[in-house]
Amino acid sequence: MFDKDAQKSKEPYGSSANPSSIELGIQRPVNDVDVDAEIELQRKESGMPPLDADVPSAPLDWDHPDDEKNPRNWAFGDRVFQTIPPALFSFVVTLASPIYTTATQQIQDEFNVSFEVALVPLTTHTLGFALGPMLAAPLSEMFGRKYVYLISFALFLLFTMASGLAPNVTALCIFRLIAGCVGAPALAVGAGTIGDIWDTHKDGGLAAMFFIMSPFLGSSLGPVFGGLISYHRTWRWTMWLVLLVGGPMFLWFIPFMKETYKPAILKKRAIERGQKLPPKPSGAEAMKKVLLITLFRPVHMLFTEPIVIALSLYTAFIFGVLFLFFAAIPYSFGTQYHFDRRQSGLIFISSVIGIILGSMTFGVIDRTIYKRRYEHAIANGQKAPVELRLISAMVGSLALPVSLFWFAWTCRTSIHWIVPTLSIIPFGFSMMLIFLASATYLVDTYQFMAAASALAANGLLRYGFGAVFPLFAIQMYTNLGIGMATTALGIIAVVLTAVPFVFYQFGRYFREKSGYDTLKG
C-alpha cells in the first residue's frame, strides 16, 4: 500500500506523527496525503478500533518499586502510626460487646425482664459483627479504607450513645444490633490495612499480631471494665465508658489517618495528573462481586470445603465458649464464692494474660520451628507444606480441654477461688494459638479472593456462635451444674483436638481436591 521510498525512509516521526500510529509501529510516509485513510484501513482489516475511538486506559499501578505513594515505602514510624487506628478501633468495638454483662442484674431490675432477656443485647451486638462485614466490602470499594473507618466508627459511637439512652430493653437490643453492624467494618477492613502497609512475610508479623490481638483483648477486658464501673454506677455508664474511650481516640485520628488502599490512592493521583481512569464496572457487576465475596462464596465454602468447615467450627466453638463465659463466670463465682459484679469481672484478667502468652508463643513457634522447616524445604528445592502453619494450633488444641476440665473440677466452695481463676489462662492461651494458626493456614491455602471468602466464612460462623452461646449459658449451668456443664464443653474440645492433627497429616489431600484455587502440592 505504501510507496517504497516511504517505507525505506529513516526520518524521525516528528511532531506531526499520530501517537496511535507510533504505538502500532507504523512509520508515517512523508508524501502520502491519504496516509490516515490507509492507516484506518489497516486497523479496520486487523479488527482494531478507529483512531478516534475511545481506547480503554491501562490499569493504574505504582510508578516504580520505590514509589513514595506506596504505603509499604512509607517511613517506618509512619507505618507504625497508621497501624494503630484499626487496632484501637477494633479494640473499642469489641470492648463494647460484653462490657455491660456484669451489670445484667441492673437491666433485669430496671426493665423488669428475665436474666436471659437481659443477655439478648449481647447477642444482637455480636450478631452485628457477623452482618457488618457485608457493608465493609462495598464501602471500601467506593470510598477507600480511611473513610470506612471514619464513617463506620462515627456511627458506632452514635448508636452506642443511643444504647446508653435506651428507654426499654427492645430499644437496647435494636441499638446494640446497629452498633455492632456499623462497628464491624473496623474488624473486617483492618486486616486489609495491615496488608497494605506491611509485608507480613518480612517485617509485618508483629503488626499483624498486634491487630489480631486487639479484638480478643477488647472482648476479654470488657467484663473487667464493666464490672468495675457498674459496681459504683448504673449499667448505662458502661456505654458512657465506651464513648469516653472511643470518642477522643476518634477525634485524635481524624487529621492524621492516611489512605492505604491502593486503588483509592492511585485513583486520586490519576485525577491530579489528569490521567484517564480505567472504566468502572457497572453497578450490577459491582454488586454481584460484593455479594459473591461477602455472602455467597463464604456460605458455599462453609458447606463444601472440608478445610473451611473444620477450622471454622473449631474457632467458632472456642469463640462461643468465650462469650458463654461472659454469663457463666459471673454465675459460677457468684454462686460458689459470692463474688459481686466487680470481682467477677476481674476474673477475665486471666484470659488477657493467656491471650498475651498465646500471641507470644505463636511468634516464637513461627520464628523458630516454622521458619526453620520452611527454609530447610526451600533449600532442598521442595515446596514447604502450608500445614506447618498448624503447629501452633496443635499446641493450643492440647491446652483447651485442660483449661475446661480444670475449671469444671475446681470451681467449688471447697477449693480456693484462685484455682479456677488460673484455669482461664490456658483458655486464652489456646484461643489465640488456634485462631492465629487457622487464619494463617486459610490465607496460605486459598489464593487471592478465595482467601478473603474463607476468612469471611470463618468470621460468619465465629460471631454466629458468639451470639448464640450466651443465650443458653445460664440454663445449661443451672440444670447441669458448673462441673457437668463445663465438662461437656471439655469433651467437645477433646473431640475437636483432632482437627489440626488431621489437617497437618492430610491437608495436602484436601487442598488438591478443593474446588477453589488453592495452593497445590
Side-chain angles (χ1 to χ4, degrees), residues 468-479:
V468 171
F469 270 49
L471 296 179
F472 60 78
I474 296 304
Q475 297 94 319
M476 180 179 177
Y477 274 70
T478 301
N479 295 328

Side-chain angles (χ1 to χ4, degrees), residues 231-308:
Y231 184 77
H232 299 287
R233 304 287 182 180
T234 68
W235 68 269
R236 296 181 188 274
W237 271 91
T238 61
M239 300 295 105
W240 307 149
L241 178 63
V242 174
L243 294 176
L244 289 172
V245 174
M249 180 193 307
F250 173 71
L251 295 175
W252 167 257
F253 283 125
I254 286 177
F256 300 112
M257 282 188 70
K258 293 183 179 180
E259 180 57 66
T260 65
Y261 188 44
K262 179 180 178 180
I265 295 173
L266 293 176
K267 178 181 177 181
K268 180 180 179 182
R269 184 165 70 177
I271 293 173
E272 291 173 350
R273 292 176 174 179
Q275 291 178 252
K276 185 177 181 180
L277 297 175
K280 291 184 178 180
S282 66
E285 290 177 351
M287 182 57 66
K288 180 180 178 181
K289 178 182 175 183
V290 168
L291 291 176
L292 178 68
I293 296 171
T294 62
L295 183 60
F296 298 139
R297 187 186 288 167
V299 173
H300 183 261
M301 296 180 86
L302 274 177
F303 286 96
T304 61
E305 289 292 301
I307 294 175
V308 177

Side-chain angles (χ1 to χ4, degrees), residues 293-518:
I293 296 171
T294 62
L295 183 60
F296 298 139
R297 187 186 288 167
V299 173
H300 183 261
M301 296 180 86
L302 274 177
F303 286 96
T304 61
E305 289 292 301
I307 294 175
V308 177
I309 295 168
L311 292 177
S312 296
L313 279 173
Y314 199 6
T315 55
F317 169 75
I318 300 170
F319 209 69
V321 174
L322 172 66
F323 274 68
L324 178 143
F325 276 170
F326 294 150
I329 284 182
Y331 171 83
S332 300
F333 282 84
T335 56
Q336 298 300 308
Y337 303 108
H338 306 292
F339 276 21
D340 56 33
R341 65 177 68 97
R342 176 183 56 178
Q343 295 167 320
S344 296
L346 291 172
I347 300 298
F348 286 91
I349 292 177
S350 297
S351 178
V352 174
I353 296 172
I355 289 170
I356 295 172
L357 291 176
S359 300
M360 293 171 61
T361 303
F362 177 84
V364 171
I365 292 174
D366 186 65
R367 290 177 176 272
T368 55
I369 300 175
Y370 172 79
K371 186 177 181 181
R372 185 164 57 245
R373 296 184 65 177
Y374 179 87
E375 292 176 346
H376 177 75
I378 298 300
N380 287 278
Q382 301 172 344
K383 285 185 178 181
V386 294
E387 283 69 35
L388 292 175
R389 291 291 193 185
L390 295 174
I391 294 174
S392 297
M394 293 159 67
V395 175
S397 68
L398 299 176
L400 180 61
V402 169
S403 169
L404 295 172
F405 289 133
W406 180 352
F407 183 84
W409 299 338
T410 61
C411 188
R412 57 188 65 180
T413 54
S414 59
I415 299 176
H416 193 276
W417 60 266
I418 194 62
V419 178
T421 298
L422 293 175
S423 71
I424 309 300
I425 294 177
F427 177 81
F429 173 82
S430 63
M431 177 172 62
M432 284 308 299
L433 282 177
I434 294 169
F435 178 78
L436 287 167
S438 299
T440 52
Y441 180 63
L442 288 173
V443 169
D444 286 355
T445 296
Y446 293 93
Q447 306 295 296
F448 304 108
M449 300 310 296
S453 296
L455 291 176
N458 185 280
L460 187 66
L461 200 62
R462 191 171 72 250
Y463 287 115
F465 274 44
V468 171
F469 270 49
L471 296 179
F472 60 78
I474 296 304
Q475 297 94 319
M476 180 179 177
Y477 274 70
T478 301
N479 295 328
L480 296 179
I482 298 169
M484 286 300 298
T486 316
T487 296
L489 297 174
I491 293 172
I492 297 174
V494 170
V495 174
L496 291 173
T497 297
V499 170
F501 289 91
V502 168
F503 284 101
Y504 183 81
Q505 188 68 32
F506 303 105
R508 178 177 178 178
Y509 169 81
F510 289 107
R511 284 190 281 116
E512 292 179 345
K513 294 294 183 181
S514 172
Y516 286 87
D517 182 18
T518 61

Side-chain angles (χ1 to χ4, degrees), residues 176-242:
R176 294 268 292 171
L177 173 64
I178 300 174
C181 285
V182 297
L187 302 172
V189 178
T193 299
I194 300 300
D196 294 339
I197 299 174
W198 303 93
D199 183 346
T200 54
H201 292 288
K202 293 181 180 179
D203 57 358
L206 190 61
M209 189 179 300
F210 174 65
F211 170 75
I212 293 173
M213 278 179 59
S214 59
F216 287 95
L217 289 175
S219 297
S220 296
L221 285 172
V224 177
F225 294 148
L228 291 173
I229 198 166
S230 64
Y231 184 77
H232 299 287
R233 304 287 182 180
T234 68
W235 68 269
R236 296 181 188 274
W237 271 91
T238 61
M239 300 295 105
W240 307 149
L241 178 63
V242 174

